[in-house]
Amino acid sequence: MKIAMVGSGYVGLVSGACFADFGHDVVCIDKDQSKIDRLHDGIMPIYEPGLAELVGANVRAGRLTFTTSLAEGIKDADAIFIAVGTPSRRGDGHADLTFVYAVAKEIGENLANDAVVVTKSTVPVGTGDEVERILKDSGTSHKFSVVSNPEFLREGAAIGDFKRPDRIVIGAEDDFGREVMSAVYRPLFLNESPILFTGRRTSELIKYAANAFLATKITFINEMADLCEKVGADVQDVSRGIGMDGRIGAKFLHAGPGYGGSCFPKDTLALLKTAEDYDSPTRIVEAVVKVNDTRKRAMGRKVLDALGGADKARGKKVALLGLTFKPNTDDMRDSPAIAVAQTLTDAGVEVAAFDPEGMELAAPLMPEVTMVEEPYAAIKDADAIAIVTEWDAFRALDLGRVKELAKAPVLVDLRNIYRPDEVRAAGFEYSSIGRN
Ligand code: UGA
């Protein structure tokens, strides 16, 4: 099959490389000439484990190519994926569909054969209908079908998620769409990955419902963690205790500083907007968004508490370990670290930070924070050390060395990656999430 992927960002590039690895002939298209030039040189626009190797192998095998020309890229394609960004629209939180619709128009104007047009971008219910209208209005004489095929890739684990999915969701309105998509996903189909065929609007909603549900699960356990701290319970055991119930499930019950990233914050807001437009409020999601927003600054206050309170914090130094919204990515979007750093610097605290991949993108977001080259440089002379992201590099710090370098042995572990008894036995004052 020949596949065109319009948009060579995170989703487009990972999906394109994985489809090529399945044996399809894939062209990744992007308007950004410098991005395409760098891809030709084997330089990835994002940090994602295994991606450079996968792209390189498929380029060498001749199955993966790059171009800036949409007309050229979609020629002969059986399936044309739209994988461009749908950021939150400034001011109202609606998903901004400008890029999706512009691509749809360009596809219509350049369609040179029958093809299925697939929205992979996260788009609100009804977007497929509008894409179909735009294609019809373009006056194309070729047969086309518009299909929804949401992605469920986690940053940092995207290739595994693509190749071994929990499910594939395909929202199609006709046989042409269903047949082409079956052929596209045939390698996974043979592998017995579950494929759910449904209507296009349903498929669009599944994506938002999935992310909103996961955000709810995280927020629920975060509130339980706060309660654990008050009643003297242990949230790790609460997670285990409820997660062993198959109806609840153990995943996404890890309490922390609040969810961030490019998906949950944006998609929960967009779902609220859809619900509002259709006069069908989703009050649980409303609460989740509010609770998560306030949590991030509360985490900064938790670090201030470890310094003896906001009034004693001025002039003290904190080492922040981890800045990205989660490990194995350089993504800083809506990372809790931004609010934590802001709360600290607002209180007059001097902050030194280290992150294995995120410092370049973090620096402009936290201008008052000093970025350093390695964790121990941040720890030197610190009055408290706060772990904000659970990178593996922070899981086995040399506690003896930490104690020697820091001004005070105070550790605030916002990801619960240490055992309280061990850290306390090493002479630290230790606080974590939901188990004090
Ligand atoms: C999320 C979904 O997990 C993917 O299925 C989806 O495809 C993707 O959004 C998307 O819509 O594109 P991602 O944003 O990469 O993926 O990251 P997650 O691993 O889901 O983590 C999101 C946030 O939740 C992070 O800040 C993480 O630290 C936090 N989290 C996650 C917790 O605090 N506790 C948990 O138990 C799990």
Side-chain angles (χ1 to χ4, degrees):
M1 297 223 94
K2 185 167 171 203
I3 293 175
M5 190 64 67
V6 187
S8 301
Y10 189 78
V11 171
L13 194 57
V14 170
S15 307
C18 289
F19 279 137
D21 212 44
F22 288 160
H24 295 313
D25 179 6
V26 179
V27 185
C28 283
I29 304 160
D30 205 289
K31 279 208 162 359
D32 182 343
Q33 179 74 53
S34 68
K35 188 189 272 182
I36 294 297
D37 289 345
R38 275 178 282 142
L39 282 165
H40 278 136
D41 292 339
I43 302 165
M44 299 300 111
I46 46 153
Y47 172 77
E48 178 64 29
L51 184 62
E53 294 78 1
L54 193 73
V55 166
N58 284 284
V59 167
R60 283 190 296 281
R63 290 188 296 260
L64 181 60
T65 54
F66 306 102
T67 179
T68 52
S69 162
L70 185 138
E72 193 61 36
I74 67 169
K75 217 165 51 192
D76 308 324
D78 302 289
I80 305 165
F81 282 80
I82 303 178
V84 293
T86 53
S88 279
R89 197 160 64 193
R90 220 173 261 250
D92 70 359
H94 262 291
D96 183 346
L97 298 170
T98 317
F99 302 122
V100 173
Y101 293 151
V103 167
K105 186 161 179 285
E106 209 180 334
I107 292 173
E109 289 163 357
N110 290 285
L111 204 58
N113 52 280
D114 297 350
V116 168
V117 176
V118 192
T119 48
K120 206 164 222 344
S121 303
T122 298
V123 293
V125 176
T127 304
D129 300 355
E130 184 60 14
V131 169
E132 186 174 292
R133 192 189 62 73
I134 293 171
L135 289 169
K136 272 192 192 131
D137 284 358
S138 73
T140 179
S141 56
H142 295 286
K143 180 167 91 168
F144 68 85
S145 171
V146 176
V147 168
S148 157
N149 171 220
E151 54 87 14
F152 301 105
L153 312 176
R154 285 164 306 163
E155 288 188 22
I159 293 169
D161 283 351
F162 194 97
K163 292 189 162 186
R164 289 174 294 282
D166 286 340
R167 81 308 205 178
I168 297 152
V169 175
I170 293 169
E173 298 294 328
D174 54 36
D175 287 341
F176 179 44
R178 280 185 285 271
E179 277 157 20
V180 169
M181 292 306 282
S182 299
V184 164
Y185 280 105
R186 200 177 137 74
L188 287 176
F189 208 52
L190 293 178
N191 222 2
E192 291 179 358
S193 295
I195 300 197
L196 172 68
F197 284 99
T198 179
R200 200 164 56 203
R201 286 186 159 238
T202 306
S203 167
E204 288 167 341
L205 186 56
I206 285 172
K207 167 70 190 192
Y208 283 98
N211 274 0
F213 190 86
L214 292 169
T216 304
K217 220 176 161 186
I218 296 167
T219 306
F220 176 84
I221 202 65
N222 284 343
E223 285 201 319
M224 285 300 121
D226 292 346
L227 185 58
C228 282
E229 288 180 19
K230 297 272 160 62
V231 302
D234 181 327
V235 75
Q236 303 282 115
D237 285 346
V238 172
S239 292
R240 266 181 228 121
I242 64 173
M244 283 175 193
D245 184 329
R247 293 169 301 176
I248 296 174
K251 291 180 182 164
F252 274 66
L253 282 179
H254 195 78
Y259 62 78
S262 63
C263 307
F264 291 171
K266 161 175 87 71
D267 294 350
T268 44
L269 277 186
L271 181 61
L272 290 184
K273 284 293 156 192
T274 301
E276 205 180 293
D277 287 352
Y278 285 83
D279 200 17
S280 177
T282 45
R283 293 185 197 92
I284 293 175
V285 185
E286 276 170 31
V288 165
V289 169
K290 276 196 197 120
V291 171
N292 193 65
D293 276 351
T294 50
R295 184 169 189 81
K296 294 178 183 174
R297 261 189 99 83
M299 292 296 115
R301 292 198 296 276
K302 197 177 171 78
V303 182
L304 290 177
D305 286 346
L307 291 172
D311 46 338
K312 299 208 182 71
R314 187 163 296 279
K316 289 191 173 167
K317 181 184 166 189
V318 166
L320 281 193
L321 301 186
L323 297 171
T324 50
F325 81 100
K326 65 173 192 177
N328 300 322
T329 174
D330 61 353
D331 201 333
M332 281 299 299
R333 281 174 286 182
D334 277 305
S335 172
I338 301 168
V340 172
Q342 190 67 57
T343 312
L344 292 173
T345 52
D346 285 353
V349 174
E350 189 193 321
V351 180
F354 169 76
D355 186 280
E357 296 292 338
M359 294 198 291
E360 201 180 317
L361 293 176
L365 300 173
M366 35 183 84
E368 293 175 67
V369 172
T370 310
M371 302 289 162
V372 297
E373 284 308 304
E374 48 95 30
Y376 295 99
I379 289 166
K380 190 167 181 319
D381 297 331
D383 296 280
I385 298 137
I387 298 172
V388 189
T389 316
E390 70 277 32
W391 284 93
D392 279 344
F394 307 142
R395 287 178 186 272
L397 291 169
D398 176 346
L399 293 182
R401 189 168 166 213
V402 172
K403 229 174 132 187
E404 257 169 43
L405 284 172
K407 202 180 281 170
V410 176
L411 183 60
V412 185
D413 178 0
L414 300 180
R415 297 287 184 168
N416 290 358
I417 59 175
Y418 282 88
R419 289 180 49 151
D421 48 349
E422 281 177 11
V423 186
R424 288 191 184 124
F428 280 79
E429 218 175 276
Y430 177 73
S431 53
S432 58
I433 301 288
R435 49 179 196 174
N436 291 329

